[in-house]
Amino acid sequence: MLQGKKILLGVSGSIAAYKAATIVRLLVKEGADVKVIMTPAACDFITPLTLATLSKHEVPVTISDNQSWNNHVMLGRWADVMLIAPASANTIAKMANGFCDNLLLATYLSATCPVLFAPAMDEDMWHHTATRHNIEKLLSYGHKQLPVEKGELASGLFGEGRMAEPADIITYLHAHFEDKKPLTGKKALVTAGPTQEPLDPVRYISNHSSGKMGIAIAEALAAAGAEVTLVLGPTHLSSTVNTIRVVTAEDMLNNSKAHFYTSDVVVMAAAVADYRPKFVEDKKIKKGAGDELTLELEKTQDILRTLGTDRPAGQVLVGFSLETNNEQEYALKKLREKNLDLIVMNSLNDPGAGFNYDTNKVTLFDRNGVAKDLPLKSKQEVAKDIVTAITDILQSRNV
């Protein structure tokens, strides 16, 4: 798969830089032509001589060197793909904001090839809001992030932030260079997570959705080759695909509209509030003299119904139906009334299914109401099944 491919490996300052030697060795073993660029900080963890010996190419480090000052333009045009591994929090921040204070960053800004990056940092840094925003920026640029792993970190803590292992990185490169994925060239829109409808500056109405199922679907669509936009409600989770963060049902509707009409596939997996407070207080509601508080609610605009009535020809539209009773009856009603091609039904009565679990048990109903029951499995596996069903619909239409 990698025979003859030109891989430009950028190594930034992280303890995970020692893994760069294994990455280079595996790439060369597969027949790739590998060139390496290092930041000065990376040299504290592994020497340029080691990587030069393994890659059989000189490893430039400083942009001011007489022999390498213009290498960033040449290297950025030479590569079939630029892989930055490890990508430290500092380097990710600089990439996201266009900084150019070392040779690796100058080359990154000059690259005309696809860019993949493998983050490596401690867990608190990984979950910091600034890092999440920087990664979302890079994803919006069309770059691909390799998933981080959970394990022992350099700090001695155990958690997320470890760089993907070299063998897994090679697997991701294989996937990148695959000739044809089933949804290559297709655009997909996915909604996920809850919405929050404010009562006052302090309180809101919401639900227990974590967004796990929708995020899994977005990433499965991307793995199948689609260009995915994820509209994600308030959740601590994040995704490797291009993500738009929203809060209210109105936010979700407006941001979904912006992508709905250009999308070949739309999966509405979000748990959107059906009602919101009719009046939102501008100050915190205080305890009254009585023991009761009456709230007046109004319906939110039904996103799925609103968009489904004016959908583009050929688009595949998928909805979700999470129920506590009469599950099949309600799911089939929604399938018909909201003009869907596929509805995913699950029940809170099934152990291991529903909100916050890592597993799910669903039934898929196609446009004709034909059911396909799936056993309890991980949400990632359920997502793959849903993507397979979507792919089958597109192929049946010869789209």
Side-chain angles (χ1 to χ4, degrees):
M1 182 69 71
L2 301 181
Q3 181 71 39
K5 299 298 185 184
K6 293 176 287 188
I7 313 293
L8 179 60
L9 175 63
V11 183
S12 67
S14 162
I15 184 62
Y18 80 90
K19 296 181 181 180
T22 304
I23 295 172
V24 173
R25 182 178 62 81
L26 292 175
L27 288 171
V28 171
K29 187 176 180 181
E30 294 221 3
D33 188 4
V34 187
K35 293 185 178 181
V36 182
I37 310 170
M38 300 175 68
T39 65
C43 299
D44 292 333
F45 299 96
I46 187 171
T47 68
L49 178 61
T50 298
L51 298 178
T53 302
L54 292 170
S55 67
K56 299 180 174 59
H57 290 290
E58 291 295 321
V59 176
V61 176
T62 59
I63 198 167
S64 59
D65 187 289
N66 287 335
Q67 294 181 334
S68 63
W69 72 269
N70 63 347
N71 273 4
H72 63 283
V73 175
M74 179 186 70
L75 289 170
R77 292 177 175 271
W78 168 82
D80 293 316
V81 66
M82 183 176 188
L83 167 67
I84 302 174
S88 66
N90 186 48
T91 291
I92 287 172
K94 290 180 177 182
M95 290 166 61
N97 293 284
F99 284 23
C100 186
D101 61 359
N102 60 46
L103 183 61
L104 189 156
L105 292 168
T107 304
Y108 159 71
L109 289 174
S110 302
T112 57
C113 60
V115 175
L116 282 65
F117 63 102
M121 63 197 73
D122 213 78
E123 183 173 43
D124 292 334
M125 298 170 71
W126 171 246
H127 288 297
H128 196 282
T129 302
T131 302
R132 309 313 315 154
H133 287 170
N134 289 333
I135 287 177
E136 287 176 11
K137 271 189 180 182
L138 294 182
L139 296 174
S140 74
Y141 300 162
H143 304 335
K144 294 181 181 179
Q145 180 225 311
L146 279 60
V148 299
E149 297 186 355
K150 179 181 284 188
E152 187 177 357
L153 304 169
S155 64
L157 299 175
F158 186 94
E160 290 183 313
R162 282 173 62 97
M163 188 179 82
E165 292 301 317
D168 294 328
I169 290 174
I170 302 304
T171 299
Y172 288 117
L173 284 171
H174 285 170
H176 173 77
F177 284 112
E178 282 179 2
D179 290 336
K180 183 70 173 176
K181 297 180 180 179
L183 297 182
T184 297
K186 303 296 183 184
K187 290 187 176 182
L189 169 67
V190 180
T191 65
T195 62
Q196 294 176 354
E197 309 303 326
L199 290 165
D200 61 22
V202 178
R203 305 177 182 91
Y204 56 82
I205 297 172
S206 190
N207 56 62
H208 296 296
S209 174
S210 65
K212 288 181 179 179
M213 190 70 252
I215 290 171
I217 292 170
E219 293 179 352
L221 285 165
E227 180 185 335
V228 183
T229 297
L230 172 64
V231 180
L232 183 60
T235 174
H236 70 282
L237 300 177
S238 59
S239 174
T240 57
V241 306
N242 180 38
T243 302
I244 300 171
R245 297 276 183 168
V246 298
V247 177
T248 67
E250 186 176 10
D251 292 338
M252 186 165 282
L253 173 60
N254 291 336
N255 282 279
S256 296
K257 270 184 179 179
H259 298 272
F260 180 82
Y261 299 102
T262 58
S263 294
D264 303 289
V265 176
V266 177
V267 181
M268 294 293 189
V272 183
D274 294 324
Y275 292 89
R276 66 187 174 197
K278 190 170 184 179
F279 304 103
V280 179
E281 300 293 337
D282 59 358
K283 294 182 175 60
K284 179 183 174 182
I285 300 171
K286 305 300 290 183
K287 290 180 182 178
D291 294 330
E292 296 181 355
L293 173 67
T294 300
L295 298 175
E296 191 173 357
L297 304 179
E298 62 182 5
K299 277 190 174 181
T300 59
Q301 191 168 353
D302 189 318
I303 298 175
L304 193 52
R305 186 190 299 273
T306 300
L307 297 180
T309 56
D310 190 27
R311 52 188 288 204
Q315 183 188 77
V316 176
L317 182 58
V318 182
F320 271 68
S321 181
L322 173 63
E323 305 295 345
T324 58
N325 61 293
N326 301 326
E327 292 91 340
Q328 181 168 327
E329 176 188 344
Y330 291 139
L332 291 175
K333 182 181 179 183
K334 184 181 288 188
L335 177 72
R336 293 189 300 269
E337 291 183 350
K338 300 191 178 181
N339 193 24
L340 306 178
D341 296 294
L342 186 73
I343 193 160
V344 183
M345 182 196 80
N346 62 327
S347 172
L348 284 180
N349 295 316
D350 290 327
F355 294 137
N356 290 305
Y357 288 104
D358 292 326
T359 55
N360 208 354
K361 183 179 184 297
V362 306
T363 299
L364 308 182
F365 291 96
D366 69 13
R367 193 170 185 84
N368 298 316
V370 177
K372 181 179 180 180
D373 292 314
L374 300 177
L376 184 71
K377 55 176 72 177
S378 73
K379 286 184 173 176
Q380 285 72 25
E381 291 301 316
V382 172
K384 291 177 183 178
D385 291 332
I386 294 170
V387 171
T388 297
I390 291 169
T391 303
D392 289 343
I393 294 170
L394 287 170
Q395 290 177 346
S396 71
R397 297 174 180 173
N398 296 316
V399 176

